Amino acid sequence: AGARPDAPLKGEDLFTIAVKGNHAELIPVLLARGVDPRSPPTAALWPLIESGDTERARMLIERGADPNARNDREWLITRALYRQRWEVVTSLADAGANVRLPDGPQCASTARGCYSIELARTASLHPPTLAKLKSRGLDLDAYAASGHTALTALIIDPMYGATGAVRGGAAASATMPASDVAARARALLEQGASPNRRYRDLTPLMLAIAI
């Protein structure tokens, strides 16, 4: 009836209001009527990723939602990986999400926030996603400030450097079977990760034998 969905708002954007009000079905309606997820920048992707609403998250990404958005803890792409929203990760990568992330300040001392290797380490749970991220420029042999690569970190501890959300979530388990770890290591190697990048004085082979 002439309501202006593009009128400036103070506070949350219309998409976020809809999702938080349990009306995510309004997202395509708002998009069809010209609401732009870029202005103001929508924050709706975070709750959509948490709830597993992959279809509507991808709608917003395809219509211009910022693929590099982050909150005070992490980036959208790391949140999507931790929650195993593989299709959302693919959409973010296709939309230009940065796949070469800097390490957080605690990486060297506590192994937390080692984002430079976290994308590869977590994507090893899903080889097609790992391949997609590599095709978008992910460096599988990057060294984190901790001295680890994704491969050496995975061998030492499948949950190495994980946030509390990952440790408590569905991404992996502290009691992950060794065969799963082997499959993840194989996925990294098949995508071209070096089997000889050392952690301190130890190669991945030495680490695997010692562990």
Side-chain angles (χ1 to χ4, degrees):
R4 292 184 53 193
D6 61 339
L9 297 173
K10 291 184 179 180
E12 294 177 324
D13 61 281
L14 286 176
F15 297 109
T16 302
I17 293 170
V19 173
K20 288 187 174 181
N22 296 317
H23 290 295
E25 73 278 2
L26 291 177
I27 288 176
V29 177
L30 293 170
L31 288 171
R33 283 159 176 77
V35 182
D36 189 344
R38 297 169 295 183
S39 181
T42 184
L45 287 171
W46 299 95
L48 289 172
I49 288 170
E50 288 299 302
S51 68
D53 194 338
T54 296
E55 179 183 358
R56 294 181 181 117
R58 295 181 71 188
M59 281 183 187
L60 291 175
I61 295 166
E62 290 167 2
R63 292 292 290 271
D66 183 5
N68 287 304
R70 66 168 301 171
N71 57 23
D72 58 351
R73 295 179 301 161
E74 61 188 342
W75 287 265
L76 275 171
I77 195 167
T78 53
R79 174 52 38 186
L81 280 166
Y82 293 157
R83 292 303 186 211
Q84 297 191 34
R85 314 302 187 206
W86 311 122
E87 291 182 356
V88 175
V89 174
T90 294
S91 293
L92 289 168
D94 286 341
N98 181 18
V99 296
R100 298 199 176 204
L101 301 177
D103 290 325
Q106 294 183 319
C107 177
S109 59
T110 68
R112 291 183 177 274
C114 295
Y115 298 115
S116 61
I117 63 173
E118 192 63 14
L119 297 190
R121 194 199 64 80
T122 310
S124 67
L125 287 159
H126 192 253
T129 298
L130 182 64
K132 165 61 74 172
L133 294 179
K134 183 191 175 186
S135 75
R136 294 298 181 183
L138 179 63
D139 182 2
L140 301 184
D141 290 327
Y143 274 117
S146 62
H148 273 291
T149 66
L151 181 59
T152 61
L154 176 65
I155 291 170
I156 284 184
D157 180 0
M159 297 304 298
Y160 176 92
T163 65
V166 185
R167 289 186 181 277
S173 164
T175 58
M176 176 179 294
S179 59
D180 289 353
V181 177
R184 293 172 63 189
R186 188 176 301 113
L188 287 167
L189 292 167
E190 288 176 350
Q191 286 300 318
S194 172
N196 295 308
R197 296 273 278 182
R198 293 173 179 258
Y199 170 64
R200 298 177 179 171
D201 292 328
L202 301 176
T203 65
L205 178 61
M206 295 174 186
L207 289 171
I209 292 171
I211 295 297

